[in-house]
Amino acid sequence: MAGACAVTAVAVLLPLAHGAPGTGGPPAGQGARVPVVSPALPGADTCRDPEASLRPNGLDGAAIQRIKAAGKLVAGVDQNSFRWGYRDPATGQLTGFDIDLVRAIAKDLLGDPDAVIYRAIPTSQRIPALKEGRVDIVVRTMTINCKRLEEVAFSTAYFEAGQQVLAPRKSGITGYDASLKGRRICTAAGSTAEAALKNESYGSVPVSVPNQLDCLVRLQLGEVDGIVTDNALAAGQAAQDPSVELVGTPFTKEFYGVAMNKDASDLVRRVNKVLENYRAGGGSSPWMTSYERHLKDDLRGIGAPPAPKYRD
């Protein structure tokens, strides 16, 4: 349990109130739509180039003007994912690869990387939080796919990952295969891992939980036998708990993007401009600096961010 406790949620982030923080979405009290979350199944991406986003520019539109008027960027994040978004036990500060990117966006929009209201959201609430106008952006290891593009907008990809199995050492589980038969396998609700397991369970017993860290805690308690998740997240969990390991090979290729309200096209273009600058500079780019600070020890061999794709 010691590993999990290192990033256990601290009640410092603001709760998900139903206000309108300045997104392109509906303001509070003006008939926010009822969210419907439908995670995509593997192979269900029928749109062309889901990672292709709007071409960047630096212009201010309605969504950006509202953020500037509020003086704060409201970001939906995780505070329980080691290396990505978590509370540093030594300082109590929110840190991680995703948090560095949020700060870069805030600096560009508001001139201050600290001008952020962080809201901790579970995996299953990422899309509802955007559609209901509770956050401006979600930076939370969120995979871009066609089904999600029906409900929210994404930036260009900022990281490449893949689904993989995390299991106790010497468990007999060899990967995403027949070795899962009869095993209790944990995924986060609303995740692409949950959708993958529904599509092909290999005879396993699926267990769904609100947050990814809940899977690690259940694994440590012996309540589940393995976890399916992004290998980028799983590498951080393995770093927290040396009794578990990634097994097999990634069975998908997925790209993380910054998610925004579907109507906030000006914000999408501006975030893509931030990402262009964030990737620039080769080995000394802000992207590589953040990778080396947070991820290099657990995810070795990454020499560059994914190249951006544009659709206009």
Side-chain angles (χ1 to χ4, degrees):
M1 289 296 292
C5 291
V7 292
T8 298
V10 179
V12 175
L13 303 197
L14 291 184
L16 274 172
H18 289 267
T23 67
Q30 293 188 16
R33 292 166 288 177
V34 176
V36 178
V37 181
S38 301
L41 294 174
D45 279 359
T46 56
C47 63
R48 184 176 180 180
D49 291 331
E51 294 84 31
S53 185
L54 299 175
R55 197 164 294 277
N57 68 40
L59 301 178
D60 289 2
I64 294 174
Q65 289 172 3
R66 282 193 288 270
I67 292 169
K68 288 186 172 182
K72 295 285 186 180
L73 175 70
V74 184
V77 298
D78 197 349
Q79 64 171 355
N80 298 320
S81 289
F82 191 47
R83 308 296 196 198
W84 291 91
Y86 69 103
R87 288 281 174 187
D88 185 331
T91 65
Q93 297 297 310
L94 197 61
T95 187
F97 189 83
D98 280 347
I99 304 306
D100 283 356
L101 180 52
V102 171
R103 289 171 56 81
I105 295 169
K107 183 176 181 180
D108 181 86
L109 291 176
L110 298 166
D112 181 0
D114 294 319
V116 182
I117 296 173
Y118 293 102
R119 288 186 170 155
I121 53 176
T123 305
S124 61
Q125 287 297 305
R126 293 177 298 188
I127 289 175
L130 285 166
K131 293 178 71 174
E132 294 170 5
R134 291 180 272 156
V135 296
D136 299 315
I137 61 174
V138 169
V139 187
R140 196 188 180 287
T141 58
M142 189 169 178
T143 299
I144 304 167
N145 63 38
C146 295
K147 190 64 178 179
R148 288 173 177 166
L149 281 168
E150 294 175 3
E151 303 189 84
V152 297
F154 280 99
S155 70
T156 54
Y158 68 86
F159 200 85
E160 180 181 336
Q163 295 294 316
Q164 200 167 347
V165 178
L166 185 72
R169 295 181 185 274
K170 300 180 180 179
S171 67
I173 295 175
T174 57
Y176 189 64
D177 53 33
S179 67
L180 298 181
K181 186 175 181 179
R183 306 295 187 101
R184 299 161 297 175
I185 303 301
C186 190
T187 61
S191 67
T192 50
E194 182 188 49
L197 206 61
K198 285 180 180 178
N199 188 54
E200 176 54 82
S201 70
Y202 287 104
S204 65
V205 180
V207 177
S208 180
V209 298
N211 282 303
Q212 194 57 52
L213 184 63
D214 298 334
C215 281
L216 181 60
V217 173
R218 289 199 179 204
L219 189 65
Q220 291 168 327
L221 292 173
E223 295 177 357
V224 298
D225 303 304
I227 301 169
V228 177
T229 186
D230 301 356
N231 59 352
L233 287 173
Q237 293 179 347
Q240 290 177 261
D241 186 348
S243 70
V244 301
E245 63 180 348
L246 281 164
V247 294
T249 58
F251 58 91
T252 65
K253 180 181 286 189
E254 302 180 10
F255 295 91
Y256 297 158
V258 179
M260 289 155 279
N261 189 279
K262 198 170 178 67
D263 299 326
S265 59
D266 62 314
L267 183 58
V268 175
R269 292 184 187 277
R270 187 63 168 269
V271 169
N272 283 338
K273 178 177 179 291
V274 173
L275 284 170
E276 287 276 284
N277 296 330
Y278 204 66
R279 299 183 190 100
S284 60
S285 69
W287 191 98
M288 284 300 301
T289 300
S290 184
Y291 162 74
E292 290 175 359
R293 180 187 304 122
H294 299 294
L295 303 178
K296 186 177 181 180
D297 288 347
D298 305 317
L299 290 168
R300 300 181 183 278
I302 298 176
K309 294 180 180 181
Y310 299 111
R311 65 173 186 263
D312 64 342

